[in-house]
Amino acid sequence: MPNSPTPTHCPYCALQCGMNLTPAPDGTVEVGERADFPVNRGALCGKGRTAPAVLSSRVRLTSPLVRSGGTLVPATWDEALDRIAGGLARTRSEHGPDACGVFGGGGLTNEKAYTLGKFARVVLGTSQIDYNGRFCMSSAAAGGMKAFGLDRGLPFPLEDIPKSGCVILVGSNLAETMPPALRFFTELKENGGTLVVIDPRRTRTAEQADLHLMPKPGTDLALALGLLHLVVAEGRVDEEYVRERTVGWEDARAAAMAHWPEYVERITGVPVPQLRETVRLFCAPESAMVLTARGPEQQSKGTDTVSAWINLCLATGRAGRPYSGYGCLTGQGNGQGGREHGQKADQLPGYRKLDDPAARAHVAEVWGVDPDTLPGPGRSAYELLDALGTDIRSLLLMGSNPVVSAPRAAHIEERIKSLDFLAVCDVVLSETAALADVVLPVTQWAEETGTTTNLEGRVLLRRKAISPPDGIRSDLEVLHELADRLGVEKGFPTDPEEVFEELRRASAGGPADYSGITYRRLAEENGVFWPCPSEDTAAGPGPTGDTMAGPGPTENTMAGPGPTENTMAGPGPTENTAAGPGPTENSTAQPRPTGNTTAQSRLIGDSAAHPGTPRLFLDRFAHPDGRARFVPVSHRAVAEEPDAEYPVLLTTGRVVAQYQSGAQTRRVDELNAAAPGPFVELHPRLAERLGAAEGDPVAVVSRRGRAVAPARITPGIRPDTVFMPFHWYGEGRANTLTNPALDPTSRMPEFKVCAVRVEAVER
């Protein structure tokens, strides 16, 4: 049936909502509900509903472009590919392989991310590869690795959230960033659970909370330590759990006890009674969770902040138990899978460490190369971008728009302009692509098949629903053609399933083990949670607590991979509670969850399929001794505190109708009508001092530059803080202002807090 619906997934955030796509007679594509997918149960936000608009030739690239006389002009594929291969070969010959850089994206499928990492290391021989996921959740990943020995955004499915007794949500405005997820928190409250939201702004998410804490930006670490101090002082530590399942408690306890409540109130601005109430709500039920997002993570102390929140969970016995634990709400569509399979500076496929000889040997065997030829770890994302035009002379960029999304963006724009050669693969002419020497138009989500891994660690199959326009090729085809032109004729297949089969072998035995996952299983089972190390269950349970077959993840001490009220008209999260009733029992009445919710008895071929691992750590953590690690941390200031010249703090985030750098969503009329441009959100007292009224242009100035946007005045933000969304280029570009100070472990830039002054602008 030519017009039968194709089940697939949204191209945007890490929920990867299920949807059906049906070609329409007029050549467009219609989006339909896919109620069988448990993450969204058919619900979609405005971005998902309008995603097919970017498939239109009216807004997308349809031909390769090459720079001629300072202008990008159409070219043939052979001409464009020859020019890219020539530019990379020339740089490698004249300056060495590490003068060639590769920059990927958290929206690339697993197959693309895997192949891009292989291309960098096997074809170019460069260590200089990283991706924009470093800006997403690298601090959470680093904290998770230290504490648990394994990093997966959520160690449990989203469906466990409504069954918990309390959730502390730190620095997330998911009502706008991933609206379909809000229903899990609505159901949490309907079941008698409580929601605590921590955010310096009264966001649409905070409006749903039983308790909203508004700390000064950059003080989340002190806040978590203050809560742990109260847990100890009030005798709420789960001593038996700490003794049997953890190590390092005494040092972490001593560090927390230096952060008494009144001291924490002075640092954060959160009153002591609210601190005590948070501890009471968190510790009263049998189960509780802490979920963090970019707010606490995008800081120069983001890893320590995550560690502090994990310490709170461990001290109260709220990790590796039913309906409890620490989790990170991943942002980008394939932010999880994107860092697992090799496009990150220090990793090989399967979340292996690049400097581990055994890991190098395993992957090199799969790739058919000598492990000694594989380069070592390279620069992190910002450091790579900062080196453009000096140490790195040519850059191949896929699926990213750092001219808008990188911190200190005006500086990064100048670094990109200083390159000898830039090639970009994208679906639209982004602000970064407009600076390139060669731009290649590539297929989009609905025009190709591939896998992604959502925030739960659920590996999913996106299916091709339509054919791309003539003249469009896939990223896999691009890498195949470039490898061939650069002297590597084999090892870069263009069929995504063939690539995935190789990825399975390369990931086997690694922490992120996909070897038991196949396209057939993904299609039949609505996704499979990793680790899934076998296609049978003969080996029995594994070390992380579910039904894992065979050996599980080994210890990995890798250092890293690593908020917004919207009053605009237009599409919003209409799906939050429309997807049907949820569970009515509270957590105390629930049976212990097992590791499998995906049909353990399903047969794949002639053997019972390993079910995957929806829930990690129920019996043991992924360190060799099975115990979690407390990490002692202490509060420290942000990299740039306010002073007389820059007395206000800036924080940044997203709005519901735009996504990331806006390269795609800013081309959708319906979304632009709802969110047409940047703004500066400020408190009425600050606006009064400036003499600014609603809609007046105001300038926000940092040590790195100046941005101008209309004022949006609201009492729902701290008087010492302003907020800007970061989706736009031009004079309202928020990332012109942000500070690239890096977390020493994750190398995450401090997007979420910097010192600024706000000025009225003459009309």
Side-chain angles (χ1 to χ4, degrees):
M1 296 177 61
N3 290 327
S4 60
T6 299
T8 189
H9 296 272
C10 178
Y12 292 119
C13 82
L15 291 180
Q16 289 296 279
C17 291
M19 59 171 59
N20 286 321
L21 296 182
T22 304
D26 62 358
T28 60
V29 181
E30 296 177 353
V31 174
E33 290 189 2
R34 184 180 165 194
D36 67 318
F37 188 61
V39 169
N40 63 310
R41 303 178 194 164
L44 293 169
C45 72
K47 295 184 291 291
R49 287 189 294 100
T50 61
V54 189
L55 300 170
S56 169
S57 297
R58 182 177 64 86
V59 300
R60 69 181 301 170
L61 294 167
T62 57
S63 169
L65 303 174
V66 299
R67 192 163 296 280
S68 176
T71 304
L72 288 172
V73 298
T76 67
W77 271 95
D78 282 340
E79 180 184 359
L81 290 165
D82 287 345
R83 190 175 293 198
I84 296 174
L88 294 172
R90 184 167 54 253
T91 295
R92 188 173 57 179
S93 174
E94 295 177 359
H95 304 285
D98 275 357
C100 295
V102 177
F103 199 84
L108 300 181
T109 63
N110 291 317
E111 292 80 1
K112 294 177 184 179
Y114 171 86
T115 304
L116 188 62
K118 182 180 179 181
F119 177 86
R121 296 177 174 111
V122 173
V123 178
L124 297 179
T126 183
S127 66
Q128 300 304 304
I129 175 172
D130 211 82
Y131 81 124
N132 63 15
R134 177 81 67 170
F135 300 158
C136 178
M137 56 174 294
S138 54
S139 293
M145 294 300 302
K146 288 182 178 185
F148 308 131
L150 185 69
D151 158 45
R152 198 179 80 186
L154 293 180
F156 41 73
L158 285 162
E159 65 190 36
D160 282 5
I161 290 172
K163 304 169 188 175
S164 186
C166 175
V167 174
I168 299 179
L169 189 61
V170 191
S172 170
N173 183 19
L174 55 80
E176 298 202 48
T177 59
M178 46 181 66
L182 188 60
R183 69 173 174 82
F184 293 105
F185 298 87
T186 301
E187 292 170 5
L188 166 76
K189 297 179 65 176
E190 290 172 349
N191 293 343
T194 56
L195 175 63
V196 179
V197 171
I198 298 172
D199 198 303
R201 304 170 56 238
R202 183 72 175 174
T203 65
R204 292 174 61 175
T205 306
E207 290 172 353
Q208 310 301 313
D210 297 282
L211 178 62
H212 175 208
L213 311 185
M214 298 180 68
K216 178 181 175 182
T219 64
D220 307 270
L221 174 54
L223 179 60
L225 287 163
L227 296 177
L228 183 54
H229 177 111
L230 286 170
V231 165
V232 176
E234 296 176 3
R236 297 179 184 271
V237 175
D238 189 331
E239 301 286 358
E240 180 180 1
Y241 174 95
V242 169
R243 183 172 58 253
E244 294 182 355
R245 299 201 61 186
T246 73
V247 296
W249 166 234
E250 290 305 319
D251 288 343
R253 178 186 182 278
M257 295 313 289
H259 298 78
W260 59 95
E262 292 76 13
Y263 173 56
V264 170
E265 178 180 314
R266 289 200 301 271
I267 294 171
T268 65
V270 177
V272 171
Q274 289 191 358
L275 299 176
R276 295 189 183 278
E277 179 65 3
T278 301
V279 169
R280 186 191 70 79
L281 293 173
F282 187 68
C283 294
E286 292 186 8
S287 59
M289 299 174 176
V290 172
L291 304 178
T292 67
R294 306 302 80 73
E297 298 162 15
Q298 287 181 327
Q299 298 182 26
S300 59
K301 52 186 174 179
T303 302
D304 284 0
T305 303
V306 167
S307 293
W309 287 108
I310 293 175
N311 288 349
L312 179 67
C313 292
L314 293 176
T316 54
R318 306 305 176 90
R321 282 181 168 174
Y323 314 121
S324 293
Y326 165 79
C328 166
L329 299 175
T330 311
Q332 295 192 76
N334 197 31
Q336 182 71 49
R339 71 180 179 280
E340 293 169 0
H341 298 301
Q343 67 171 335
K344 187 171 160 287
D346 53 0
Q347 284 179 197
L348 288 169
Y351 221 144
R352 287 182 160 91
K353 294 175 63 179
L354 186 54
D355 57 3
D356 177 358
R360 293 168 65 89
H362 173 86
V363 174
E365 182 178 3
V366 174
W367 288 352
V369 300
D370 184 338
D372 291 339
T373 65
L374 297 178
R379 292 175 173 88
S380 71
Y382 180 79
E383 292 165 306
L384 188 158
L385 295 171
D386 191 37
L388 299 181
T390 54
D391 294 341
I392 299 173
R393 310 298 291 269
S394 293
L395 182 69
L396 174 64
L397 185 146
M398 284 187 168
S400 186
N401 189 19
V403 165
V404 176
S405 63
R408 197 184 174 195
H411 169 73
I412 295 304
E413 183 173 0
E414 291 305 310
R415 301 315 317 144
I416 289 173
K417 290 177 179 178
S418 72
L419 283 164
D420 295 344
F421 182 80
L422 171 64
V424 173
C425 300
D426 210 330
V427 300
V428 296
L429 191 66
S430 70
E431 287 79 10
T432 304
L435 303 177
D437 297 283
V438 181
V439 184
L440 299 181
V442 290
T443 51
Q444 299 187 56
W445 58 289
E447 302 163 346
E448 59 187 11
T449 294
T451 62
T452 62
T453 307
N454 80 344
L455 76 170
E456 308 165 295
R458 189 194 305 251
V459 186
L460 304 167
L461 184 63
R462 281 191 193 162
R463 297 168 177 87
K464 179 178 178 179
I466 59 171
S467 296
D470 291 339
I472 308 295
R473 298 186 185 181
S474 73
D475 295 281
L476 295 179
E477 291 174 306
V478 168
L479 293 172
H480 171 88
E481 292 290 341
L482 291 177
D484 184 63
R485 284 167 167 79
L486 291 166
V488 181
E489 299 178 359
K490 296 181 179 180
F492 290 86
T494 61
D495 176 63
E497 187 168 8
E498 186 178 349
V499 175
F500 190 79
E501 288 299 305
E502 183 178 303
L503 182 157
R504 292 176 61 203
R505 298 193 301 275
S507 74
D513 193 332
Y514 284 30
S515 58
I517 304 174
T518 64
Y519 270 31
R520 179 179 173 185
R521 288 195 63 182
L522 295 177
E524 293 181 352
E525 300 178 38
N526 235 343
V528 177
F529 292 82
W530 72 260
C532 183
S534 173
E535 289 189 71
D536 62 67
T537 55
T544 56
D546 288 312
T547 53
M548 255 177 72
T554 59
E555 182 176 27
N556 185 339
T557 56
M558 201 180 85
T564 127
E565 177 174 280
N566 182 5
T567 58
M568 291 180 290
T574 58
E575 69 291 357
N576 296 332
T577 58
T584 56
E585 303 83 9
N586 204 311
S587 59
T588 57
Q590 293 296 312
R592 171 189 172 98
T594 66
N596 172 37
T597 59
T598 54
Q600 292 193 36
S601 61
R602 184 183 300 280
L603 297 181
I604 302 295
D606 296 325
S607 62
H610 182 282
T613 316
R615 298 174 180 88
L616 297 168
F617 314 137
L618 290 180
D619 296 317
R620 56 182 287 127
F621 296 96
H623 290 296
D625 61 3
R627 292 171 175 261
R629 272 56 171 159
F630 280 97
V631 178
V633 293
S634 296
H635 167 72
R636 64 181 186 273
V638 296
E640 195 174 73
E641 289 277 20
D643 57 20
E645 187 176 3
Y646 301 98
V648 177
L649 291 173
L650 168 71
T651 192
T652 63
R654 288 167 47 191
V655 297
V656 67
Q658 301 288 352
Y659 180 72
Q660 303 298 73
S661 75
Q664 296 183 50
T665 52
R666 283 188 277 116
R667 287 166 168 81
V668 179
D669 292 342
E670 183 178 336
L671 300 179
N672 279 332
F679 58 87
V680 179
E681 189 175 279
L682 65 163
H683 192 274
R685 294 212 299 265
L686 178 56
E688 183 179 5
R689 289 203 300 271
L690 296 173
E694 180 78 15
D696 286 352
V698 294
V700 183
V701 184
S702 78
R703 291 177 173 86
R704 289 151 297 280
R706 184 175 190 265
V708 178
R712 180 171 294 176
I713 302 170
T714 172
I717 190 169
R718 290 176 56 98
D720 59 0
T721 300
V722 295
F723 166 84
M724 291 186 71
F726 59 78
H727 309 290
W728 288 274
Y729 183 62
E731 70 170 3
R733 179 173 58 185
N735 277 319
T736 297
L737 309 168
T738 49
N739 191 353
L742 301 180
D743 181 290
T745 301
S746 68
R747 316 308 288 169
M748 166 79 87
E750 194 155 63
F751 285 99
K752 278 297 180 281
V753 55
C754 68
V756 299
R757 67 174 179 266
V758 187
E759 302 170 341
V761 175
E762 294 279 341
R763 294 196 181 195

